[in-house]
């Protein structure tokens, strides 16, 4: 796999985001809302770069099964979201079309947080279909499909400690080894 960002580069990027957020929030308590599952690795690393009092809430954003439009997203709260009057930082793994972040932001805003900012690990260039931009992006990437550091292909590769481009040869290797009923192991 072609590596885009290795562990050292990622660590520096997350530390930089942490330092920007420490400047933004100071010692004000915040609630970090993380969109499952892609942002778990970023969440774990980022919160250890933050020193204000903080709480974590997990949500899931999934496309409606059999939904009519591709942008139909369902926001599932994995516990009751208690964010009214709180300073909220929403994090996600990647900003691609932007539809996920727009929908989740709408949902969170309806719960009346005191403030709401967004931070994504990766920001894909040239693919946005929305007017909004994340407040913070750790890295910009070209329009390629990437895996690792939480990002998946068919739910695999989230555990890679680096970010890599999933190229045609990697896709073929994947279907040979990891698709259900794959012949060779
Ligand atoms: P958006 O709603 O189009 O911005 O999509 C965001 C979601 O699409 C992310 O949370 C990812 O789950 C998925 N996604 C988009 N691009 C990639 C990629 O290059 N690799 C892995 N997942 C991706
Ligand atoms: Mg995903």
């Amino acid at each position: 796999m072609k590596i885009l960002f290795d562990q050292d580069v990622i660590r520096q990027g997350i530390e930089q985001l942490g330092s920007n957020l420490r400047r933004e929030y100071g010692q004000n308590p915040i609630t970090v809302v993380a969109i499952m599952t892609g942002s778990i690795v970023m969440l774990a690393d980022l919160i250890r770069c933050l020193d204000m009092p903080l709480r974590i809430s997990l949500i899931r954003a999934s496309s409606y099964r059999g939904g009519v439009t591709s942008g139909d997203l369902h926001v599932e709260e994995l516990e009751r979201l208690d964010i009214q009057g709180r300073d909220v930082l929403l994090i996600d793994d990647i900003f691609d079309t932007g539809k996920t972040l727009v929908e989740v932001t709408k949902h969170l805003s309806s719960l009346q947080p005191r403030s709401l900012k967004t931070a994504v690990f990766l920001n894909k260039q040239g693919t946005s279909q929305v007017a909004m931009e994340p407040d913070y992006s750790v890295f910009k990437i070209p329009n390629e499909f990437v895996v690792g550091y939480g990002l998946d292909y068919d739910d695999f590769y989230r555990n890679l400690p680096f970010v890599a481009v999933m190229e045609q040869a990697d896709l073929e290797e994947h279907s040979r080894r990891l698709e259900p009923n794959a012949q060779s192991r």
Side-chain angles (χ1 to χ4, degrees):
M1 282 184 179
K2 186 175 91 187
I3 294 184
L4 268 190
F5 306 113
D6 67 19
Q7 288 187 69
D8 276 350
V9 171
I10 294 174
R11 188 174 34 74
Q12 287 165 25
I14 296 289
E15 275 170 9
Q16 183 60 56
L17 173 59
S19 117
N20 292 340
L21 293 170
R22 290 198 305 275
R23 194 169 317 123
E24 162 121 29
Y25 293 105
Q27 283 301 308
N28 290 337
I30 66 170
T31 301
V32 179
V33 176
I35 305 178
M36 295 290 95
T37 303
S39 65
I40 53 170
V41 183
M42 175 191 188
L43 174 68
D45 283 348
L46 178 63
I47 57 173
R48 285 174 291 175
C49 296
L50 299 177
D51 61 357
M52 70 288 281
L54 73 82
R55 307 155 72 241
I56 298 167
S57 281
L58 306 179
I59 61 175
R60 194 184 300 280
S62 41
S63 312
Y64 283 118
R65 252 166 252 156
V68 225
T69 37
S70 58
D72 262 358
L73 269 191
H74 172 68
V75 180
E76 183 191 342
E77 301 177 3
L78 302 187
E79 70 253 39
R80 201 178 64 84
L81 261 186
D82 167 24
I83 59 169
Q84 188 177 3
R86 298 187 188 275
D87 291 311
V88 173
L89 176 71
L90 173 64
I91 67 170
D92 200 6
D93 54 356
I94 188 165
F95 186 86
D96 181 17
T97 66
K99 288 176 176 176
T100 305
L101 218 57
V102 163
E103 282 308 310
V104 174
T105 298
K106 255 191 240 166
H107 178 70
L108 297 187
S109 297
S110 74
L111 301 173
Q112 300 173 306
R114 187 162 79 136
S115 70
L116 176 57
K117 297 264 173 175
T118 54
V120 296
F121 176 56
L122 302 178
N123 190 333
K124 228 181 243 192
Q125 301 298 284
T127 55
S128 173
Q129 297 178 19
V130 298
M132 106 177 260
E133 263 290 308
D135 296 299
Y136 297 95
S137 306
V138 178
F139 299 113
K140 294 187 165 137
I141 61 163
N143 184 10
E144 295 191 273
F145 194 85
V146 295
V147 295
Y149 199 75
L151 291 128
D152 73 300
Y153 173 72
D154 197 20
D155 261 333
F156 284 96
Y157 311 107
R158 297 193 197 276
N159 55 316
L160 299 178
F162 48 81
V163 173
V165 179
M166 191 88 186
E167 295 175 302
Q168 190 54 38
D170 304 313
L171 290 168
E172 283 161 20
E173 168 86 356
H174 175 93
S175 32
R176 206 165 45 74
R177 294 185 52 223
L178 297 169
E179 275 176 8
N181 309 317
Q183 290 307 300
S184 55
R185 293 192 186 267

